[in-house]
Amino acid sequence: MEYNFREIEQKWHQRWVQQRTYHVEEDGSKEKFYVLNMFPYPSGAGLHVGHPLGYIASDIYARYQRLRGKNVLNPMGYDAYGLPAEQYAIQTGQHPAITTEQNINRYREQLDKIGFCFDWDREVRTCDPKYYHWTQWAFQKMFGSFYCNTCQKAQPIEQLIEHFEKEGTANLDVAQSEELTFTASDWAAYDDVKKQEVLMNYRIAYLGETMVNWCPKLGTVLANDEVIDGVSARGGFPVVQKRMKQWCLRVSAYAQRLLDGLDTIDWSDSIKETQRNWIGRSEGAEIEFKVQGSEKSFTIFTTRADTMFGVTFMVLAPESELVKELTTPEQQAAVDEYLTYVKKRTERDRISDRKVTGVFTGSYAINPFTGDANPIWISEYVLAGYGTGAIMAVPAHDSRDYAFAKHFNLPIIPLIEGCDVSEESFDAKEGIVCNSQGKDFSLNGLTVKEAIAATKKYVKEQGLGRVKVNYRLRDAIFSRQRYWGEPFPVYYKDGMPQMVPEECLPLELPEIDEYKPTETGEPPLGRAKRWAWDSKSNTVVDCSSIDNITVFPLELNTMPGFAGSSAYYLRYMDPHNDKALFSAEADNYWRQVDLYVGGSEHATGHLIYSRFWNKFLYDLGVSCEEEPFRKLVNQGMIQGRSNFVYRIKDTNTFVSIEKRDQYDTTPLHVDVNIVSADILDIEAFKAWRPEYATAEFILNDDGQYKCGWAVEKMSKSMFNVVNPDMIVERFGADTLRLYEMFLGPVEQAKPWDTNGIDGSHRFLKKFWNMFWSKEDFAVTDEEPTKEELKSLHKLIKKVTEDIEVFSYNTSIPAFMIATNELTSLKCNKRAILEPMVVLIAPFAPHIAEELWEALGHDTTVCDAQWPKFEAKYLVEDTVKMMVAFNGKTRFGIDFPADADNATIEAAVRSHEMTPKYLEDKQIVKVIIVPKRMVNIVMK
RNA sequence: GCUCGAAUGGUGGAAUUGGUAGACACGAGGGACUUAAAAUCCCUUAGCCCGAAACGGCUGUACGGGUUCGAGUCCCGUUUCGAGCACCA
């Protein structure tokens, strides 16, 4: 019988659905394993061959773990909120829910063809109210919490109120937006609104007036990770800084734990490094500088406390509050002019031209180490959001300060012995310190490292400041001015946000008639007619009934994309629970994701936010693991392989690549789907576009049209998108799966090249033919030979080890080799072939099922047992070893596998290739290097 | 600029983690079967040299050094490419 993949794949797909083969329940008698893919945003373009790469890799792992007897959770769902559906809605008026639903159905259809072992009973969609109920719930919990630095944990806000009632802000060490100071009696005297305002300073989800990335073109704010090079990540539109009141999440409170947690998880170095960079921890000191001739003082942050003697001026960020206080009347006009200039500059301007700009405030600051007065400047190179928004400038040892000093002609004092600062600053933290002699304190002669430590100690002892750790990680802006997102369960009373009662969740997204912002510039939800909260009846009511007594306006912003994706992996554990995000039992069983597979583009977004979110739930005692993803594998992008035709300029004649140089041609992208092995299907080409219907061709000498090619991003506009459906149609899902894995290491980016797929398909046919001879199922119960067993056990060993380390691209050759060996041995014995079916089941599940059934099993191959290899079959009778004399001459001798040194030495001596002179010399030692080599060292 | 990672035939990529470099596949070339095509199968395929032949020799893993009996693998330096951060003090 021939290998009819279409029939086989259809049959088994149906059977898996009917028998609910991949349905999974908690089962205390079995060890669990949780495999997860980053759930997709269902875009209108459907899947291309790059998308399933990670899904296939994790599917293989999931199936393997199941065959090892584990209870495997491998769910799938959709990140259903997103900008494309909303923009489509703005253009066409079609509700984004409809667009999203259509796209989901298309995705599902495509996914189903590839034979994944997803438990679809656990599917989640972020736009489903039953799902976002728990997104809203978590938000409310964050609103009701603050972060205690002493216990390094989120705590209920009530505890903070209690503290305020007892002692105000005394003895308080908590995460906060700005440092407030008040007493217990102050607190008691505050009215309700004031108290709410104060608490907002501490909540983990808080309404904060901060500088945000505003994208006018998209009409919304963006998080830091959504802005790349000063433009929006989606669309590439300019982004400006704007002060706005927005919901924020106090992610920064978790900076240290997010950093420390990286050491406990099994992620790639590169992604850990990316996260470390993003968190940006730097240890330094805050040092106080007094303003000359005034009671005022301010604090700067530095990591180079050792350079205190090299300070020649101070710089404030233009947005700093100190600017107002420190500007002298004489300088007022100049400062105002400068501030106007800075305001006009966008984020992008700042990045693209790094001009040295600044203005003198007129004030001077006293260096606490030297007593010198240093002029205080303002410059945009100092950032308001980092440290204290003020720096001490050490031009000799900081390139930015150096550029500033040169430009404005300020003094430069070198502090490292032998360093040359005539052309550029000496930034390296190395060398011996000099020129650093104070009244009662000297750093001269110390190394930079020693000097930093000594200065910190001195600063602390003298009360000049304190040792401080700063992080680059900022709080996440959590509001979006969009329609297609989770609504906030928040209404406003006296301008202060109030939470919709927990038992009233979910608060469902209202219908609106248009999806644009309102004429007055409010977010789209401003158009909703029914979008007010009646706090008496606890229901959503008509906006027209808003009064000041019981009915209040609801929040018009919605949550950003990362809200729904931050805890979805937890929801899969218990997706239908309507009492809680998940039950404690489900969480205790599944705990955390054991293997998470997805793209590295989420390194500073989703993978930070969900770690934060999970840690918060952990603090609450809701989640039992602090880190959500134990092991992370980043699959590489599959790039497209574009094809080109060459049109002779100003004609409709196309010339084949070999003859292209004889003409003046323009390369044009051509649809890769009408090109096969770089040979153009001319008829299909003529039919492709009307303008090519009359095209003429100059062919190769062999009468074919050969196209050029290049590796580019897979995209519609390059006509290089390869659709998995087409591959499945032509070769079958099993071939696609095998080929995608064979293409190269999962983690690596690589171009898609359909040309090589025949090899994988041929292998499956060969595999099939081991079982079938013409029309007969030819498997016998004969005893296998040693050679056959060796072939099998080599394969078991290799495949098992490869899967464990996720290196499938090398186990597929192992299958090919074993199949070739066994075919040439004409082996059709059950004892060999049956385990091989199990081994291949994770990779090519359909063919495995079909053969498993043909072998007479009435259960699916998914419930088989993973074969174990036995070392005895792998031991060679003889081992070929290379013999070297003092590392020079070499030849090979076959030794018995268990030969000892004496035997080997004797064999070497008596060997005909052993040099004659050896007999006169004494062998000092015989080194046997594992498996490979005998090394003779002589006197 | 800082931090991390990579570099192996015409191509994708192997190499038991320091032990015969180039597995396996694609592509290419040759052959068998066939009227022909498709399908299938076999041989060659890093470069160079010697030879009637060989399981013969030399060179070779971006470049230059080093450690080692032995280096694609470890160390130092250089070049190129990729990724992340970037006026973060």
Side-chain angles (χ1 to χ4, degrees):
Chain A
M1 195 140 74
E2 260 192 36
Y3 169 45
N4 185 338
F5 58 85
R6 283 197 194 90
E7 227 165 74
I8 292 171
E9 289 176 4
Q10 202 183 3
K11 167 179 161 187
W12 285 100
H13 174 60
Q14 282 170 4
R15 205 167 291 182
W16 289 334
V17 172
Q18 277 163 18
Q19 301 184 350
R20 301 179 82 204
T21 306
Y22 303 121
H23 180 75
V24 60
E25 297 280 345
E26 287 80 81
D27 177 354
S29 70
K30 278 196 200 162
E31 203 182 325
K32 68 97 187 186
F33 200 92
Y34 186 177
V35 177
L36 184 66
N37 293 285
M38 289 184 186
F39 64 167
Y41 172 74
S43 82
L47 292 175
H48 64 62
V49 289
H51 294 115
L53 183 79
Y55 304 157
I56 295 170
S58 59
D59 194 67
I60 290 170
Y61 206 83
R63 287 174 180 274
Y64 164 74
Q65 289 295 353
R66 176 163 170 171
L67 290 165
R68 298 292 305 245
K70 303 252 178 84
N71 193 25
V72 177
L73 175 57
N74 183 27
M76 185 44 103
Y78 303 97
D79 186 13
Y81 280 130
L83 198 55
E86 176 148 350
Q87 288 194 321
Y88 188 73
I90 292 171
Q91 285 157 23
T92 63
Q94 170 155 287
H95 197 291
I98 297 172
T99 316
T100 304
E101 172 89 26
Q102 283 168 353
N103 292 348
I104 285 178
N105 291 340
R106 167 104 176 95
Y107 262 62
R108 177 64 191 274
E109 207 179 290
Q110 289 186 293
L111 288 171
D112 278 347
K113 285 186 185 159
I114 306 173
F116 295 119
C117 62
F118 296 134
D119 178 4
W120 285 105
D121 295 338
R122 290 178 184 254
E123 179 192 315
V124 302
R125 298 177 184 194
T126 52
C127 64
D128 181 350
K130 291 198 201 76
Y131 176 86
Y132 66 65
H133 182 154
W134 303 105
T135 311
Q136 294 176 335
W137 167 84
F139 167 79
Q140 291 198 340
K141 289 288 172 203
M142 290 181 195
F143 181 80
S145 305
F146 73 102
Y147 194 84
C148 169
N149 285 335
T150 323
C151 50
Q152 280 292 307
K153 199 177 162 188
Q155 302 277 6
I157 198 86
E158 289 72 26
Q159 201 176 311
L160 187 67
I161 297 173
E162 217 171 286
H163 185 105
F164 290 157
E165 284 167 350
K166 272 198 208 126
E167 43 185 331
T169 52
N171 304 315
L172 193 66
D173 185 13
V174 298
Q176 52 196 335
S177 301
E178 54 182 307
E179 200 160 334
L180 302 179
T181 318
F182 54 84
T183 63
S185 49
D186 289 341
W187 173 258
Y190 291 159
D191 67 12
D192 212 44
V193 170
K194 174 74 187 172
K195 278 183 182 168
Q196 286 302 313
E197 274 171 14
V198 170
L199 288 175
M200 204 55 101
N201 193 49
Y202 304 94
R203 295 182 189 275
I204 288 179
Y206 64 95
L207 202 52
E209 181 149 345
T210 49
M211 295 302 281
V212 297
N213 306 302
W214 171 256
C215 179
K217 191 86 188 186
L218 292 173
T220 186
V221 302
L222 298 169
N224 282 347
D225 67 283
E226 293 169 316
V227 182
I228 296 164
D229 292 337
V231 297
S232 64
R234 273 191 179 271
F237 303 118
V239 170
V240 295
Q241 298 299 300
K242 195 173 165 185
R243 216 173 170 81
M244 278 178 84
K245 207 162 202 184
Q246 299 286 314
W247 283 105
C248 303
L249 302 185
R250 208 175 295 283
V251 180
S252 60
Y254 283 83
Q256 189 60 48
R257 279 170 66 190
L258 287 168
L259 197 59
D260 293 342
L262 290 173
D263 297 331
T264 69
I265 50 185
D266 184 8
W267 292 15
S268 73
D269 290 339
S270 77
I271 210 122
K272 283 188 185 181
E273 194 60 29
T274 302
Q275 291 214 341
R276 284 194 193 105
N277 279 340
W278 190 258
I279 295 166
R281 181 184 207 268
S282 59
E283 275 178 53
E286 283 188 349
I287 299 172
E288 197 174 337
F289 279 71
K290 289 201 164 63
V291 179
Q292 189 177 40
S294 140
E295 291 300 294
K296 289 176 202 156
S297 70
F298 62 96
T299 307
I300 58 92
F301 175 75
T302 180
T303 55
R304 292 295 302 274
D306 60 306
T307 59
M308 279 301 289
F309 293 94
V311 177
T312 56
F313 57 101
M314 313 295 291
V315 190
L316 307 176
E319 299 84 4
S320 169
E321 316 231 316
L322 292 165
V323 169
K324 240 182 285 167
E325 291 181 42
L326 299 184
T327 303
T328 58
E330 303 82 64
Q331 288 297 102
Q332 192 65 51
V335 169
D336 286 346
E337 192 190 332
Y338 183 67
L339 293 183
T340 319
Y341 157 79
V342 169
K343 230 175 221 165
K344 268 194 279 189
R345 280 162 69 81
T346 65
E347 191 71 13
R348 203 184 161 82
D349 294 340
R350 275 199 182 193
I351 291 165
S352 58
D353 80 282
R354 294 200 172 163
K355 294 191 276 198
V356 179
T357 65
V359 65
F360 178 47
T361 59
S363 297
Y364 292 83
I366 306 294
N367 183 330
F369 279 46
T370 62
D372 295 344
N374 298 312
I376 305 172
W377 286 68
I378 302 169
S379 176
E380 60 179 335
Y381 85 84
V382 174
L383 305 175
Y386 186 77
T388 61
I391 62 153
M392 62 180 210
V394 185
H397 302 290
D398 182 289
S399 51
R400 296 152 299 177
D401 297 346
Y402 187 87
F404 196 85
K406 282 276 175 188
H407 189 266
F408 290 104
N409 226 353
L410 295 158
I412 298 167
I413 309 173
L415 299 172
I416 305 288
E417 277 178 21
C419 73
D420 174 18
V421 294
S422 57
E423 290 301 323
E424 57 183 358
S425 60
F426 182 83
D427 290 14
K429 289 188 189 181
E430 57 194 40
I432 304 295
V433 176
C434 63
N435 293 340
S436 300
Q437 176 68 57
K439 283 167 290 200
D440 52 353
F441 182 70
S442 171
L443 294 171
N444 288 343
L446 298 177
T447 65
V448 167
K449 267 193 188 143
E450 291 163 348
I452 292 175
T455 315
K456 278 184 184 169
K457 189 162 163 252
Y458 181 75
V459 164
K460 225 154 86 185
E461 284 167 2
Q462 302 290 311
L464 302 172
R466 56 181 175 148
V467 172
K468 175 85 198 274
V469 176
N470 259 323
Y471 300 92
R472 206 189 69 92
L473 184 72
R474 312 288 169 80
D475 289 347
I477 312 236
F478 202 60
S479 300
R480 295 293 181 276
Q481 290 67 41
R482 300 225 189 108
Y483 171 71
W484 193 229
E486 298 87 348
F488 281 89
V490 171
Y491 61 92
Y492 287 88
K493 182 176 168 185
D494 301 326
M496 292 308 290
Q498 310 292 323
M499 292 297 124
V500 165
E502 195 179 319
E503 58 277 15
C504 302
L505 300 182
L507 179 71
E508 290 198 28
L509 189 65
E511 294 302 318
I512 56 178
D513 43 20
E514 258 195 293
Y515 302 95
K516 296 188 289 206
T518 67
E519 277 68 32
T520 54
E522 281 184 324
L525 282 187
R527 294 175 180 275
K529 297 209 169 49
R530 204 174 162 76
W531 196 237
W533 187 255
D534 184 347
S535 59
K536 200 168 148 205
S537 64
N538 275 335
T539 50
V540 177
V541 295
D542 228 73
C543 294
S544 55
S545 55
I546 289 178
D547 55 49
N548 290 325
I549 306 156
T550 65
V551 180
F552 305 99
L554 280 157
E555 168 75 52
L556 300 182
N557 289 306
T558 55
M559 297 186 194
F562 68 83
S565 59
S566 289
Y568 75 105
Y569 54 90
L570 291 169
R571 184 64 177 168
Y572 281 136
M573 295 175 179
D574 192 6
H576 308 295
N577 193 330
D578 56 4
K579 301 281 183 299
L581 174 57
F582 48 77
S583 69
E585 297 77 54
D587 186 47
N588 265 313
Y589 185 69
W590 297 113
R591 305 191 73 84
Q592 68 182 153
V593 176
D594 295 293
L595 175 69
Y596 196 29
V597 179
S600 56
E601 66 273 20
H602 298 108
T604 54
H606 164 64
L607 288 173
I608 289 268
Y609 296 128
S610 51
R611 290 182 63 218
F612 153 76
W613 203 284
N614 198 82
K615 281 173 193 295
F616 172 73
L617 294 179
Y618 174 79
D619 287 352
L620 246 53
V622 172
S623 176
C624 62
E625 291 281 351
E626 176 158 3
E627 285 290 340
F629 315 119
R630 192 169 57 78
K631 182 178 168 68
L632 174 74
V633 171
N634 293 115
Q635 95 265 27
M637 271 234 289
I638 291 200
Q639 296 140 314
R641 189 177 184 281
S642 313
N643 277 114
F644 297 93
V645 290
Y646 301 93
R647 185 169 66 190
I648 301 174
K649 276 202 176 130
D650 306 319
T651 68
N652 204 14
T653 302
F654 296 83
V655 57
S656 185
I657 187 163
E658 272 97 346
K659 298 189 178 171
R660 154 179 74 137
D661 295 341
Q662 303 166 21
Y663 304 90
D664 184 13
T665 58
T666 330
L668 297 169
H669 278 97
V670 61
D671 189 345
V672 293
N673 294 300
I674 58 173
V675 177
S676 162
D678 292 336
I679 303 299
L680 181 70
D681 180 337
I682 289 177
E683 289 314 309
F685 180 71
K686 285 181 171 175
W688 183 40
R689 289 282 174 91
E691 65 265 35
Y692 299 148
T694 58
E696 290 181 29
F697 301 89
I698 297 173
L699 303 176
N700 269 352
D701 296 335
D702 59 4
Q704 289 181 317
Y705 189 98
K706 193 161 188 195
C707 302
W709 62 274
V711 171
E712 295 173 302
K713 196 177 170 235
M714 202 173 268
S715 96
K716 268 186 183 171
S717 61
M718 316 247 194
F719 302 109
N720 60 3
V721 175
V722 181
N723 187 303
D725 303 359
M726 274 193 37
I727 303 286
V728 169
E729 180 57 31
R730 268 178 64 193
F731 299 99
D734 287 340
T735 300
L736 173 73
R737 292 169 62 105
L738 233 40
Y739 185 58
E740 291 223 2
M741 292 304 102
F742 181 62
L743 221 45
V746 177
E747 285 98 332
Q748 214 164 82
K750 57 227 158 210
W752 176 266
D753 182 355
T754 308
N755 290 341
I757 200 165
D758 290 345
S760 302
H761 192 62
R762 256 199 292 272
F763 156 67
L764 282 177
K765 276 198 244 181
K766 282 187 200 165
F767 191 80
W768 177 264
N769 288 334
M770 284 201 290
F771 297 76
W772 290 87
S773 152
K774 304 256 167 70
E775 288 306 305
D776 301 316
F777 192 67
V779 177
T780 70
D781 286 331
E782 263 176 274
E783 282 296 307
T785 65
K786 180 130 201 246
E787 214 175 342
E788 290 162 350
L789 282 166
K790 192 180 145 191
S791 224
L792 171 69
H793 285 266
K794 244 175 22 193
L795 180 66
I796 299 174
K797 182 167 189 279
K798 175 76 179 147
V799 173
T800 308
E801 286 169 358
D802 279 352
I803 293 183
E804 295 283 359
V805 298
F806 232 73
S807 128
Y808 309 133
N809 58 320
T810 60
S811 32
I812 287 160
F815 274 115
M816 294 178 177
I817 293 165
T819 303
N820 283 340
E821 281 174 4
L822 292 169
T823 303
S824 62
L825 292 172
K826 303 212 179 343
C827 170
N828 56 350
K829 297 166 186 167
R830 171 179 296 268
I832 302 292
L833 296 183
E834 201 167 88
M836 285 196 59
V837 171
V838 180
L839 287 179
I840 208 162
F843 298 90
H846 306 92
I847 193 174
E849 289 284 16
E850 184 67 19
L851 292 169
W852 192 247
E853 190 186 49
L855 283 163
H857 295 277
D858 52 8
T859 54
T860 64
V861 72
C862 304
D863 295 318
Q865 273 215 339
W866 190 255
K868 286 202 173 67
F869 72 88
E870 289 182 47
K872 66 176 177 189
Y873 297 117
L874 299 176
V875 176
E876 310 270 351
D877 296 336
T878 58
V879 179
K880 182 154 187 132
M881 290 198 194
M882 301 306 289
V883 180
F885 301 103
N886 278 359
K888 283 276 177 175
T889 317
R890 288 174 162 202
F891 57 87
I893 314 183
D894 288 333
F895 292 105
D898 54 354
D900 58 12
N901 278 20
T903 317
I904 291 169
E905 197 177 315
V908 170
R909 277 181 181 285
S910 61
H911 195 272
E912 58 183 26
M913 299 272 292
T914 301
K916 295 278 176 292
Y917 62 81
L918 183 67
E919 283 162 28
D920 309 332
K921 307 204 174 187
Q922 202 190 343
I923 293 177
V924 175
K925 58 178 174 181
V926 175
I927 307 164
I928 303 180
V929 183
K931 285 184 200 168
R932 286 272 176 239
M933 179 137 176
V934 181
N935 190 13
I936 312 290
V937 182
M938 296 173 297
K939 236 191 232 170

